[in-house]
């Protein structure tokens, strides 16, 4: 099983990139091939699929994406490529929150997802998706279980902020551990408002 690849983008195709690792080029299916540049250095967690008609590699920039992908493909009616498209259309936390809150309206915004499949996702995965929370900015790369930050992050998503914006917030693990939800939320809103001015 190929679980991780580090290499250079050789070229881009419609739904995948060719990643050059040493002297070998791998077709790796990613959710938005257009965002990659030729000669860019890339590190990807990969899911190696074996089918009767061949083998396929699906690549993810974070472990969170990989873990959610492997959970979603267990849902009846969802295949690897359809789940990959879903992850390209909506961030992980929004999908997880929608499943936990049984928010079929949000799930139906995903490409190819109707009411029946949205309901199946909730039935199969609610309370079962175990993904560690990644702290924003300066703590990037460290994963910890901080319920306070989970609540703050969820509140910001509800207020309409994108996960990419939330990830720009600079907080230390100590700040989050010692803070409360309301104070941290106000602090984060100030940071986000300041960031928008620049």
């Amino acid at each position: 099983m190929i679980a991780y690849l580090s290499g250079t983008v050789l070229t881009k195709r419609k739904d995948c990139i060719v990643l050059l690792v040493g002297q070998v080029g791998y077709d790796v299916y990613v959710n938005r091939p257009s965002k990659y540049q030729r000669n860019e250095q890339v590190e990807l967690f990969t899911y190696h699929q074996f089918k009767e008609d061949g083998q396929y590699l699906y690549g993810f920039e974070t472990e969170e994406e990989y873990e959610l992908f492997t959970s979603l493909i267990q849902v009846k009616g969802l295949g690897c490529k359809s789940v990959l498209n879903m992850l390209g259309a909506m961030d992980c936390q929004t999908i997880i929150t929608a499943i936990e809150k049984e928010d079929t309206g949000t799930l139906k915004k995903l490409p190819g997802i109707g009411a029946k499949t949205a309901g199946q996702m909730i039935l199969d995965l609610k309370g079962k998706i175990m993904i560690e929370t990644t702290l924003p900015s300066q703590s990037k790369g460290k994963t910890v279980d901080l319920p306070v930050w989970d609540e703050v992050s969820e509140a910001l998503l509800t207020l309409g902020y994108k996960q990419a914006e939330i990830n720009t917030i600079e907080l230390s693990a100590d700040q989050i551990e010692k803070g409360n939800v309301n104070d941290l939320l106000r602090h984060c809103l100030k940071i986000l408002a300041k960031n928008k001015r620049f």
Side-chain angles (χ1 to χ4, degrees):
M1 295 289 288
I2 300 173
Y4 173 86
L5 288 173
S6 177
T8 305
V9 177
L10 184 64
T11 189
K12 298 183 288 185
R13 294 176 177 162
K14 182 180 177 181
D15 51 3
C16 70
I17 59 173
V18 177
L19 190 65
L20 185 63
V21 182
Q23 299 299 312
V24 180
Y26 294 87
D27 273 335
V28 184
Y29 291 88
V30 292
N31 56 38
R32 288 190 299 276
S34 60
K35 70 181 177 180
Y36 294 93
Q37 302 299 320
R38 289 191 64 181
N39 299 317
E40 177 184 358
Q41 293 294 314
V42 174
E43 297 180 13
L44 297 172
F45 296 96
T46 56
Y47 176 81
H48 194 178
Q49 181 189 37
F50 294 85
K51 296 179 67 176
E52 290 183 2
D53 61 348
Q55 300 181 34
Y56 301 86
L57 281 172
Y58 297 86
F60 311 92
E61 293 183 353
T62 66
E63 287 187 271
E64 289 88 348
E65 279 189 320
Y66 171 84
E67 293 292 343
L68 182 55
F69 175 87
T70 55
S71 294
L72 288 169
I73 60 175
Q74 303 304 315
V75 175
K76 183 179 179 181
L78 292 182
C80 288
K81 290 188 178 180
S82 61
V83 171
L84 195 67
N85 289 334
M86 290 164 54
L87 295 178
M90 190 177 292
D91 65 80
C92 293
Q93 190 58 56
T94 300
I95 296 172
I96 295 168
T97 299
I99 290 171
E100 293 302 316
K101 291 188 172 182
E102 301 185 20
D103 181 359
T104 57
T106 294
L107 294 175
K108 286 193 295 182
K109 294 178 182 178
L110 292 164
I113 301 301
K116 182 178 179 180
T117 305
Q120 191 68 48
M121 289 167 65
I122 293 168
L123 179 65
D124 290 353
L125 298 180
K126 183 180 178 182
K128 299 176 183 177
I129 303 177
M130 303 300 291
I131 297 178
E132 295 175 310
T133 300
T134 301
L135 292 179
S137 200
Q138 66 189 52
S139 298
K140 190 174 181 181
K142 299 177 181 178
T143 54
V144 290
D145 182 17
L146 294 176
V148 172
W149 175 249
D150 288 346
E151 291 187 46
V152 172
S153 181
E154 185 175 323
L156 291 170
L157 289 168
T158 302
L159 290 171
Y161 289 96
K162 304 292 185 183
Q163 189 65 49
E165 294 178 287
I166 297 171
N167 288 343
T168 66
I169 299 171
E170 294 188 358
L171 295 173
S172 67
D174 190 58
Q175 279 179 292
I176 297 174
E177 288 173 339
K178 293 181 179 179
N180 61 60
V181 174
N182 290 333
D183 288 344
L184 281 173
L185 180 58
R186 282 194 293 269
H187 183 60
C188 289
L189 287 170
K190 289 179 181 178
I191 293 173
L192 290 169
K194 182 179 179 180
N195 288 346
K196 283 191 173 183
R197 292 200 296 266
F198 295 95

